[in-house]
């Protein structure tokens, strides 16, 4: 095999993109208040803002779209999705939701009471936001290796079982409505969790009578990492690995916009029948009837097909090959990243590249802005803009341990030459790193502020 990721598909539909000139990028950034979320898509050349909903659907998915059944209740599309759900995840009940955070909202609305805590390896921002919005405390208990960017631990998404046990004992199981784990660990570098660890997490939660939920939007990538890296799993299929993972949990939620290869969709799945009834009521109130959950019938069909395509091992080999290729190229031009490469994205260590910019002046934001101005490449800050928050007791600002810029790779969208262009652009930024300056907020809302805040350059 060559040491670059060959696409296991041909391109049948073409979406033109254009590189805007540097002066126009300056104007666009001013208008956007220096927040890349406020740019128009046409102002971006290579868009690595997210891998969420940005993938390319296959010919089979587009064919499935045509079969979509738009009946309000009992649509055929729902039952085709249910079949895939049962085959892969094996939960007794599920509802479709329009995306992952809708499932998080329902779960938090039903289970989280003010003052309660929800542990995980690391919660993603929307999960954190939904827990906080109900007065709860999201708690991150990932292993320490996750915070050491060059540590080569094969499963840096693992939860620290000793920390988890100590946390439950200190907090009391009655104050923990459910425990979670995120696979892969998006907020911590897209790093996988081992099956051994998921077994231990499940056993620990269950020992204390705490229901165990998996935030599983990148479960297929996680399953393939297990196949590649965990002793005893090389001969197992990703499907069998996925089934073993979900057999250990009481429920799961998924943003299907990732490993189910659709542009919109999600689900919340549970074993408990009475909880399912409460979920159904909440869903009907806010999202839609239980057989469509805020989606069109055609979306459900695209998801049913995409769930299987996301587990395909030739696709997963290419997918993880792309991130590894991007990481290798960036290292060669002096750009430090979290190692080893994650599944869906490369996390550039902005704190390491820009040591002269303190947390409070947002080194990740400085790097994102510079990369856009250099090459019209859009990444996203995963650092203090996203996660710094005042300590609830002392009011003192608590900063995340890592200041990162995520370059997320949409599925089946960009080719190797696109990745080469990103490597070249970021290499140019790195050469000029000491000259970059920080930013301060001009406007910032309280929750999920990175989406709509604006900045001023310092
Ligand atoms: N959980 C994880 C681990 C996620 O990465 C996301 C979304 C969600 C939940 C929420 O799902 O967007 O469908 O409501 N992550 C996207 C990202 C937005 O860019 O990483 P959603």
């Amino acid at each position: 095999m060559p040491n670059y990721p060959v696409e296991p598909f041909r391109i049948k539909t073409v979406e033109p993109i254009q590189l805007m000139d540097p002066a126009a990028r300056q104007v666009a950034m001013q208008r956007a208040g220096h927040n890349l979320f406020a740019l128009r898509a046409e102002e971006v050349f290579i868009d690595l803002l997210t891998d969420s909903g940005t993938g390319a659907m296959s010919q089979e998915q587009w064919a499935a779209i045509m079969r979509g059944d738009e009946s309000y209740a009992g649509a055929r599309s729902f039952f085709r999705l249910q079949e895939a759900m049962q085959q892969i995840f094996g939960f007794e009940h599920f509802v479709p939701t329009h995306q992952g955070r809708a499932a998080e909202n329902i779960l938090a609305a039903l289970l989280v009471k003010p003052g309660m805590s929800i542990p995980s390896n690391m919660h993603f921002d929307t999960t954190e936001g939904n827990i906080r919005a109900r007065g709860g405390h999201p708690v991150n208990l990932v292993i320490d290796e996750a915070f050491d960017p060059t540590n080569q631990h094969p499963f840096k998404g693992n939860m620290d079982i000793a920390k988890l046990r100590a946390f439950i004992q200190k907090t009391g199981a009655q104050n923990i409505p459910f425990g979670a784990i995120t696979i892969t660990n998006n907020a911590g570098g897209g790093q996988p969790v081992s099956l051994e660890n998921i077994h231990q997490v499940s056993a620990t939660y269950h020992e204390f009578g705490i229901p165990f939920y998996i935030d599983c939007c990148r479960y297929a990538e996680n399953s393939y990492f297990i196949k590649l890296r965990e002793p005893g799993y090389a001969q197992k299929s990703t499907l069998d690995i996925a089934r073993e993972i979900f057999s250990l949990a009481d429920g799961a939620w998924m943003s299907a916009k990732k490993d189910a290869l659709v542009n919109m969709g999600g689900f919340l799945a549970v074993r408990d029948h009475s909880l399912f009834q409460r979920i159904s009521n909440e869903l009907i109130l806010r999202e839609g009837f239980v057989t469509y959950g805020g989606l069109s019938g055609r979306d459900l069909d695209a998801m049913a097909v995409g769930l299987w395509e996301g587990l395909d091992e030739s696709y997963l080999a290419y997918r993880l090959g792309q991130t590894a290729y991007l990481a290798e190229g960036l290292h060669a031009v002096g750009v430090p990243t979290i190692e080893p490469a994650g599944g869906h994205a490369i996390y550039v260590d902005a704190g390491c590249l820009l040591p002269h910019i303190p947390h409070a002046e947002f080194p990740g934001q400085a790097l994102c802005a510079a990369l856009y101005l250099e090459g019209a490449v859009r990444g996203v800050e995963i650092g203090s803009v996203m996660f710094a928050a005042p300590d609830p007791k002392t009011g003192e600002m608590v900063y995340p341990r890592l200041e990162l810029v995520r370059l997320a790779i949409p599925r089946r969208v960009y080719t190797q030459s696109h990745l080469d262009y990103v490597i070249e652009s970021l290499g140019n930024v790195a050469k000029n790193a000491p000259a970059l300056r920080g930013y301060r907020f001009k406007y910032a809302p309280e929750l999920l502020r990175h989406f709509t805040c604006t900045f001023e350059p310092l």
Side-chain angles (χ1 to χ4, degrees):
M1 280 293 281
N3 68 345
Y4 50 83
V6 186
E7 286 79 8
F9 51 81
R10 300 192 291 194
I11 296 167
K12 181 141 52 183
T13 301
V14 169
E15 182 182 3
I17 51 175
Q18 265 180 4
L19 180 57
M20 230 170 58
D21 68 66
R25 285 177 229 156
Q26 290 279 0
V27 174
M29 271 296 258
Q30 296 282 346
R31 196 209 65 239
H34 305 273
N35 183 343
L36 273 60
F37 277 100
L39 291 173
R40 298 172 64 124
E42 69 205 40
E43 293 163 342
V44 177
F45 186 48
I46 307 289
D47 203 347
L48 306 184
L49 181 71
T50 179
D51 64 321
S52 183
T54 52
M57 290 209 296
S58 67
Q59 56 187 1
E60 295 306 323
Q61 286 180 292
W62 284 111
I65 291 266
M66 291 306 296
R67 284 192 293 272
D69 174 350
E70 306 302 339
S71 303
Y72 188 98
R76 294 170 188 83
S77 306
F78 172 79
F79 293 103
R80 287 192 279 262
L81 176 61
Q82 185 180 53
E83 173 67 20
M85 291 289 306
Q86 279 167 352
Q87 292 280 332
I88 298 169
F89 300 96
F91 292 107
E92 282 75 357
H93 310 283
F94 86 100
V95 292
T97 58
H98 77 271
Q99 57 184 94
R101 70 197 69 181
E104 292 168 354
N105 173 44
I106 293 171
L107 203 61
L110 295 177
L111 299 182
V112 179
K113 303 275 172 292
M116 286 182 161
S117 296
I118 293 82
S120 186
N121 48 353
M122 287 177 88
H123 294 280
F124 192 61
D125 57 357
T126 58
T127 323
E128 281 207 3
N130 273 297
I131 292 169
R132 286 192 205 281
R134 305 283 164 182
H137 306 303
V139 179
N140 295 336
L141 302 173
V142 71
I143 55 172
D144 288 336
E145 285 87 340
F147 300 106
D148 175 0
T150 55
N151 187 304
Q152 299 294 322
H153 192 296
F155 291 103
K156 284 167 97 171
N158 281 359
M159 194 124 155
D160 186 322
I161 302 297
K163 278 193 221 164
L164 175 61
R165 175 171 290 281
F167 180 78
I168 296 172
Q169 282 165 342
K170 187 181 81 186
T171 310
Q174 73 283 5
N175 297 315
I176 303 176
F178 67 95
I181 199 160
T182 312
I183 62 172
T184 56
N185 181 17
N186 186 9
Q191 300 290 319
V193 181
S194 71
L195 243 167
E196 183 189 27
N197 192 253
I198 299 173
H199 273 277
Q200 291 167 341
V201 168
S202 169
T204 307
Y205 284 135
H206 288 157
E207 181 188 327
F208 292 93
I210 299 168
F212 170 36
Y213 283 78
I214 304 180
D215 178 355
C216 69
C217 59
R218 300 181 182 88
Y219 80 98
E221 291 167 7
N222 200 103
S223 299
Y224 197 67
F225 273 124
I226 288 171
K227 184 181 170 87
L228 294 179
R229 294 182 184 171
E230 189 159 353
Y233 287 95
Q235 302 308 322
K236 296 223 159 114
S237 69
T238 48
L239 174 61
D240 283 339
I241 293 170
R243 285 177 174 157
E244 185 174 336
I245 291 173
F246 294 106
S247 73
L248 299 166
D250 300 289
W253 74 89
M254 178 172 188
S255 168
K257 300 166 75 171
K258 284 78 167 178
D259 279 357
L261 288 158
V262 287
N263 303 121
M264 190 53 71
F267 66 74
L268 174 56
V270 295
R271 298 199 188 284
D272 183 307
H273 182 67
S274 67
L275 178 59
F276 171 65
Q277 286 176 321
R278 294 168 63 208
I279 288 170
S280 300
N281 295 337
E282 190 73 16
L283 186 86
I284 290 167
L285 191 63
R286 299 182 194 283
E287 291 274 308
F289 186 60
V290 290
T291 59
Y292 72 88
L295 294 169
S296 301
R298 55 180 172 269
D299 296 330
L300 305 179
D301 265 309
M303 205 198 299
V305 175
L307 279 169
W308 289 114
E309 292 184 359
L311 280 169
D312 180 273
E313 293 180 12
S314 63
Y315 154 74
L316 285 166
Y318 142 78
R319 170 96 182 129
L320 301 192
Q322 271 203 322
T323 41
Y325 178 86
L326 180 55
E328 220 170 274
L330 289 176
H331 297 163
V333 295
V335 176
T337 70
I338 292 200
E339 297 171 36
H344 67 296
I346 290 305
Y347 292 67
V348 178
D349 190 343
C352 172
L353 193 61
L354 306 172
H356 57 287
I357 303 182
H359 291 288
E361 296 175 11
F362 307 133
Q365 160 64 17
L367 189 59
C368 279
L371 179 58
Y372 175 71
L373 294 174
E374 170 67 30
V377 176
R378 175 156 69 170
V380 67
E381 194 261 15
I382 299 200
S384 286
V385 177
M386 198 179 268
F387 287 122
D391 182 292
K393 292 197 188 87
T394 63
E396 203 179 310
M397 199 50 106
V398 183
Y399 294 104
R401 287 163 75 171
L402 294 176
E403 296 287 354
L404 304 172
V405 168
R406 187 185 72 173
L407 305 176
I409 307 184
R411 291 166 181 77
R412 307 189 292 204
V413 168
Y414 291 118
T415 63
Q416 187 187 335
S417 63
H418 290 126
L419 299 184
D420 288 337
Y421 174 84
V422 172
I423 292 163
E424 192 179 312
S425 300
L426 198 45
N428 291 342
V429 171
K431 275 186 224 139
N432 189 37
L436 297 185
R437 294 282 163 268
Y439 284 77
R440 71 168 159 246
F441 281 132
K442 223 172 138 183
Y443 160 75
E446 195 190 338
L447 287 177
L448 298 175
R449 62 188 181 186
H450 52 284
F451 290 118
T452 55
C453 64
T454 56
F455 298 97
E456 264 168 0
L458 288 165

